[in-house]
Structures are given as structure tokens and as C-alpha cells.
Amino acid sequence: MTWYVGLTGGIGSGKTSVSRLFAELGAGVVDTDEITHALTAPDGVAIPAIRREFGDEFMAPDGALDRAAMRRLIFEDDAAKAHLEAILHPMIRERALSAAAQSAAPYVMLVVPLLFESGNYREAVKRVLVVDCDEELQVARTMQRAALSEGQVQAIMSHQLSREERLASADDLIVNNGNLADLQQQVHALHQVYLGLSTS
């Protein structure tokens, strides 16, 4: 039976960098953000249901989900957010667990940004790893990566679990305030722990 670690953290904390380092050491990695992008790409499986629920104004010219328009809507309308999650979350979970089950790696890291908020993965994972960094770094990294304003990043962060709640629910922690060498050292140490746990 595959042994799962849930990897989560706030926006801009460095989840992708951490998961790549684990993959380089031989861990399996299933990233739910990548699954979401595939589901909402042109001809994505979720597109017909999203179009029926929200209308053509939330579709990009190429037939994909218009992410910017949808982001604006769900920040202002909790009911719309719930409708979108009702469409996407079951599809994402099914594909994530299916991909993870097919992995031949000693353990699989499920990268789920909203792991605590969605509640869809807690029973599947043996450990929860939180990637954390200072909030100023979170904002700066996200502004640089996603071309968002500081206000937009703060709005996204306000819709996520607070840093304190996330840290209180973590089994394991990686602090991503330093350089790559520091990150690699933390990942390597935890990789050894997970190898031991997954084979015991």
C-alpha cells in the first residue's frame, strides 16, 4: 500500500521548490495544482460543468477557464466559491489518489495547497508537511511569480488558513526563509525520516 505525505503551505511559501527536491531524491510527487490546470484547460474535463454553472463569461477565448475572472468572483461570492469547489474538488481528489496509487516510489508526496481547508485528504495521508516562510517573503515571491499586486496577494492570503493554524496542524515543518542549500538540507533530513516510516 502506498504511503502518503501531504505537502501544504500558504501561497508563495515554496511548495513547488520543496516538492521538486523530494522528487530528485526519489519520492513520488502528485501536485493537485497541475491536475487543476489540466481539468480547466481547453477541452479539460471540468470545463463543461463550469460553463453550465457560471456561463461563457468565465471562459477564455481558447476555451479554458478564465482564471482571473473566476478569482475575482470567488473572492466576492462565497456561494460561487462553494459551487466551483463542488465541481473541481471531487475530480481533483480522484485523479490525485489514482496517480499516487500507481507510483512505484517508496512514498508519495501529495501537494495540496488547501489540504487543511478542503478536508479531502486528511484520512489518506500519514503525515502532513507544512512549508512555511515569513509573510513578507510570501507576498514578495507571489507578486514576482504571478504578476499580482500586494493587495491581490494579501486578499488571497486572507482566504487561506492562517499561518498559526497551519503550523499548529503540521506533523513536520520546512522553513523556507533561507537559501537553496538550507532547503536541500531540510528536505534531505525529512526524506530519510519518510523512507524509514514508509518501510517500517
Side-chain angles (χ1 to χ4, degrees):
M1 185 176 169
T2 312
W3 202 86
Y4 301 143
V5 178
L7 171 64
T8 193
I11 189 170
S13 59
K15 296 180 294 296
T16 301
S17 298
V18 168
S19 66
R20 281 185 187 137
L21 291 173
F22 274 104
E24 287 171 10
L25 294 174
V29 172
V30 175
D31 191 327
T32 58
D33 266 354
E34 292 177 5
I35 294 171
T36 305
H37 278 271
L39 289 170
T40 56
D43 301 319
V45 174
I47 290 296
I50 294 173
R51 180 179 269 117
R52 279 196 302 273
E53 180 68 40
F54 296 98
D56 287 338
E57 63 266 36
F58 291 96
M59 295 294 122
D62 63 357
L65 174 67
D66 184 335
R67 295 176 200 286
M70 184 60 75
R71 188 187 298 123
R72 286 192 295 271
L73 175 68
I74 63 176
F75 279 149
E76 297 165 4
D77 187 336
D78 287 342
K81 181 171 181 277
H83 288 309
L84 181 66
E85 289 174 348
I87 294 168
L88 286 175
H89 282 185
M91 294 183 183
I92 296 166
R93 186 181 190 278
E94 179 189 350
R95 282 160 179 74
L97 294 180
S98 174
Q102 292 169 37
S103 173
Y107 67 91
V108 175
M109 196 145 275
L110 287 167
V111 186
V112 188
L114 301 179
L115 185 130
F116 295 124
E117 293 90 331
S118 75
N120 286 335
Y121 301 87
R122 291 306 299 274
E123 79 286 354
V125 301
K126 300 292 187 185
R127 307 280 294 180
V128 174
L129 168 60
V130 168
V131 183
D132 181 61
C133 70
D134 292 340
E135 290 187 355
E136 296 80 11
L137 266 177
Q138 260 187 284
V139 173
R141 285 172 181 160
T142 307
M143 287 173 65
Q144 184 177 20
R145 184 191 72 202
L148 297 171
S149 70
E150 184 174 352
Q152 287 172 311
V153 178
Q154 295 284 6
I156 292 169
M157 289 170 64
S158 73
H159 279 74
Q160 295 185 338
L161 207 64
S162 74
R163 186 182 181 192
E164 291 74 19
E165 290 172 297
R166 203 180 291 114
L167 291 174
S169 300
D171 295 308
D172 304 303
L173 178 66
I174 282 180
V175 178
N176 187 21
N177 286 331
N179 57 26
L180 180 60
D182 178 54
L183 202 59
Q184 287 171 322
Q185 189 175 6
Q186 294 180 74
V187 168
H188 192 271
L190 273 175
H191 176 65
Q192 298 306 316
V193 171
Y194 295 149
L195 282 178
L197 289 171
S198 63
T199 54
S200 63

